[in-house]
Amino acid sequence: MRARDVEKIDIAETRSMHSGHGKAYLGLAFAVFCWAANTVLARGVANDILPITLAFWRWAFALIIILPFSYGHVWRERDEIRKNLFPLLVLSFFSVAVYNSLLYIAARSTTATNMAIVTASMPAITLLAARAILKEVPTLVQTGGVIISAIGMLIIIFKGSTASLFSLDFNYGDLLVVGSILSWSVYSVLIRKFKLALHPLTFLTMTILIGSLTIAPFYCWEAFAWAQHGLLVRNMHVFLFLAVFPSIIAYLFWNNGVINVGPGKAAMFIYLLPLFGAVLALVLLGETIFTYHFFGGLFIFIGLYLAIKKETKFRTIT
C-alpha cells in the first residue's frame, strides 16, 4: 500500500475517532443534566418519600421499562452473562445499589452546599482511582483543567463569597456523600477495566436487576418500619421520570462515554452538575441566577475544554 493511501486511512480513522468522542462528550453532558434533574426532584420529594423507597422504586420501574427492549439481547448473551457474573455483581453494587441510595439518605441530613462541595472531589478521586487501577496518569493540561473547573464549581457553591468557606459544618450526611462519591469513582474506573463484551442494553438491564435485588431487603425493612399507604399512586410521575431519564438514558450515555474517553475525562463532566442544577432550579423552583453562576460556569467550561482537548496525551505507567 502506498504511503499516500496509508495517510488517507489514518486521516479517516482520526476523523472517525474525534466524531465518536464528540458524541461521547455530548452524551456525558446530557447524563449529568439528567442527574441534576434527579437531584432537584429528589429534594422536592424528600419529605414525602423515604430514601431507600425512592431508590428501590426508581430502579424497579426502570427495569420494567427497559426489559421489553433488552430481553432479546439478555437471552442471546446469557452465556456471556454467566461468565461475567462477578464483574456484573461488583459494578451493580457500586453504581445502582450504593451510589444513589447513599445520596438519597444524605439529602435528609446535610445541606445542598456541603453535598456539592464533596461532589467536587469526584474527578480528583476518579483520576487517582484510574492511576491506581488502570495505571493511567493525567497530563499537566488535564490537571490544570481539573483545577480550573474546581475553581468554577467552588465559585458557584460559595456564591462568590469567601465568607461561606469558613462557616461549613460537616456531619454524618457529608460522610455519606463521601461514600457515594467513592462508590461512583470506583464504578467509573472498573467499567473501563472490565470492558465487558455485552450489548449496552444487556449490561444496563443486568446492573439494574442485580442492584435492585441488593436494595430490596433494605426497602422491605424501611417499608415495614414506616408504612406509606398510596405511595406509588401519588408519586407515579416521580418514579417514571427517575426511571427513564436519570436511570436508563443517563446510564447508557455515561457508560458509553467512560468506555470511549476514559473515567478521568468522563468524571470532569460532573462539574456541570451545579451549573445544570442552578438552571433547573431557576426554571422549576423559581430561584434566581446570579453573577457568580455566570463566572463559575465560565470556569467550568474552560476547565472541561482543557481536560478533554488533548486526546493523545493520557499516558500509561509501564
Side-chain angles (χ1 to χ4, degrees), residues 139 141-142 144-146 148 301-310:
T139 66
V141 173
Q142 289 172 328
V146 170
I148 293 174
F301 282 112
I302 292 174
L304 275 172
Y305 173 75
L306 291 175
I308 67 178
K309 76 170 200 170
K310 296 293 186 181

Side-chain angles (χ1 to χ4, degrees), residues 172-194:
Y172 174 72
D174 298 323
L175 296 179
L176 289 177
V177 179
V178 172
S180 71
I181 298 308
L182 286 170
S183 180
W184 187 258
S185 297
V186 172
Y187 166 76
S188 295
V189 173
L190 289 180
I191 191 177
R192 185 172 173 88
K193 178 180 176 62
F194 289 141

Side-chain angles (χ1 to χ4, degrees), residues 193-212:
K193 178 180 176 62
F194 289 141
K195 294 182 180 179
L196 302 183
L198 295 172
H199 188 278
L201 286 177
T202 300
F203 175 76
L204 184 57
T205 300
M206 292 308 302
T207 53
I208 291 176
L209 174 61
I210 296 171
S212 298

Side-chain angles (χ1 to χ4, degrees), residues 46 51 55 58 98 109 122 127 149 159 172 193-194 201 253:
R58 164 188 174 173
V98 175
S109 57
M122 182 185 287
L127 285 173
S149 286
K159 301 179 180 180
Y172 174 72
K193 178 180 176 62
F194 289 141
L201 286 177
F253 280 138

